Amino acid sequence: MGKIIIAGNWKMHKTQAEALEFLQVLKSNLEEANEAREIVLCAPFTALGVMSKSLHGGLIRLGAQNIHWEEKGAYTGEISGLMLKELGVDYVVVGHSERRQYFGETDETANLRVIAAQRHGLTPILCVGESKSQRDAGETETVIINQVKRGLVDVDQSNLVIAYEPIWAIGTGDTCEATEANRVIGLIRSQLSKKEVTIQYGGSVKPSNVDEIMAQPEIDGALVGGASLDPVGFARIVNYQ
Ligand code: PEP
């Protein structure tokens, strides 16, 4: 069992003004009793600066959605760990299935990004997950084990979060059965040298299913896409029972 971390992945949503408005509503809906739960908002790069100033060291932490492995250079459209650190970022999502599907991310580039994040004192959230056709073909276990192994070459497991995100459950409303997510997350944990790594579930997590998901013994948190865009709903997810 790792530290409980509930993270929102805003993807390409929210201007700076919208992000600040979200923070105000979220803060007023958080229950104090839940201070042991880490809350992370993975916002677009453009919103990170103003959010960081508004949060100034409170309970909510900031995450980015990508990091390049070099410090600087001719890599148009990329961002470095130095730049993220300066903005007050603590976490970074790496290897999300949308990056793999639309932008050519591989296990090898995800691995480089994980290592770069750690070098800058950021905590990488490495995403792994099988597609519907891989699941139907009975390949889930092999796919997941390979993604974990290749993504974690030379990685320090003491500063790491893994998110199990079955691709067929992302943005579809089709959540993986909580017990099945628990089983796959147990499998991921069995591949790790440090058993206390936080392993999240992601894929259509919402206020109505978060309690069941978080009741599973292997699941240490959630990575939430669509349902993290509404501050009241996201507060309910953070305040899971
Ligand atoms: C995600 O993008 O990481 C995700 C889990 O999205 P959703 O919650 O919308 O399925």
Side-chain angles (χ1 to χ4, degrees), residues 9-12 42-45 63-67 92-94 99:
N9 172 21
W10 284 357
K11 313 190 186 193
M12 197 170 70
C42 302
F45 301 134
Q65 298 172 23
N66 195 13
I67 180 174
V92 58
V93 175
V94 172
R99 300 287 321 164

Side-chain angles (χ1 to χ4, degrees), residues 5-230:
I5 303 175
I6 309 289
N9 172 21
W10 284 357
K11 313 190 186 193
M12 197 170 70
H13 291 282
K14 295 199 190 292
T15 61
Q16 296 182 62
E18 288 166 344
L20 291 179
E21 206 176 302
F22 176 100
L23 284 184
Q24 277 209 331
V25 181
L26 175 65
K27 283 185 205 160
S28 63
N29 281 278
L30 292 176
E31 288 171 11
E32 274 172 39
N34 295 338
E35 284 186 7
R37 299 172 188 179
E38 186 116 306
I39 307 163
V40 182
L41 293 172
C42 302
F45 301 134
T46 46
L48 292 170
V50 287
M51 289 176 77
S52 178
K53 284 192 191 119
S54 159
L55 291 168
H56 49 78
L59 272 180
I60 304 167
R61 312 239 163 252
L62 277 184
Q65 298 172 23
N66 195 13
I67 180 174
H68 194 266
W69 48 90
E70 297 291 346
E71 318 276 286
K72 57 184 169 182
Y75 302 102
T76 303
E78 290 285 327
I79 194 147
S80 80
L82 268 182
M83 297 165 184
L84 295 176
K85 260 323 243 196
E86 190 186 40
L87 289 174
V89 168
D90 288 317
Y91 289 86
V92 58
V93 175
V94 172
H96 190 280
S97 60
E98 287 152 15
R99 300 287 321 164
R100 295 178 191 254
Q101 189 181 346
Y102 305 133
F103 302 101
E105 188 85 67
T106 63
D107 290 328
E108 288 67 36
T109 55
N111 175 249
L112 290 171
R113 294 182 204 276
V114 166
I115 292 171
Q118 293 185 330
R119 193 168 65 241
H120 287 282
L122 300 163
T123 302
I125 303 176
L126 174 67
C127 302
V128 297
E130 80 286 357
S131 65
K132 177 86 172 69
S133 59
Q134 289 167 331
R135 174 159 282 262
D136 290 346
E139 295 166 2
T140 299
E141 290 75 12
T142 324
V143 168
I144 298 297
I145 289 173
N146 280 335
Q147 285 179 345
V148 169
K149 277 201 178 134
R150 293 181 189 145
L152 295 185
V153 174
D154 294 332
V155 166
D156 172 9
Q157 295 186 11
S158 61
N159 179 28
L160 173 70
V161 173
I162 296 177
Y164 169 55
E165 298 209 305
I167 298 170
W168 47 272
I170 295 182
T172 58
D174 192 8
T175 324
C176 182
E177 285 286 326
T179 50
E180 174 58 8
N182 186 67
R183 183 186 74 82
V184 178
I185 288 176
L187 174 73
I188 294 172
R189 201 178 301 284
S190 73
Q191 304 300 307
L192 303 177
S193 54
K194 288 230 175 347
K195 303 300 176 199
E196 61 280 10
V197 168
T198 294
I199 310 182
Q200 300 171 313
Y201 167 75
S204 299
V205 175
K206 43 194 176 238
S208 59
N209 62 21
V210 68
D211 299 343
E212 191 191 0
I213 290 164
M214 291 307 298
Q216 300 296 318
E218 293 285 356
I219 303 181
D220 303 319
L223 183 54
V224 187
S228 72
L229 294 173
D230 165 44

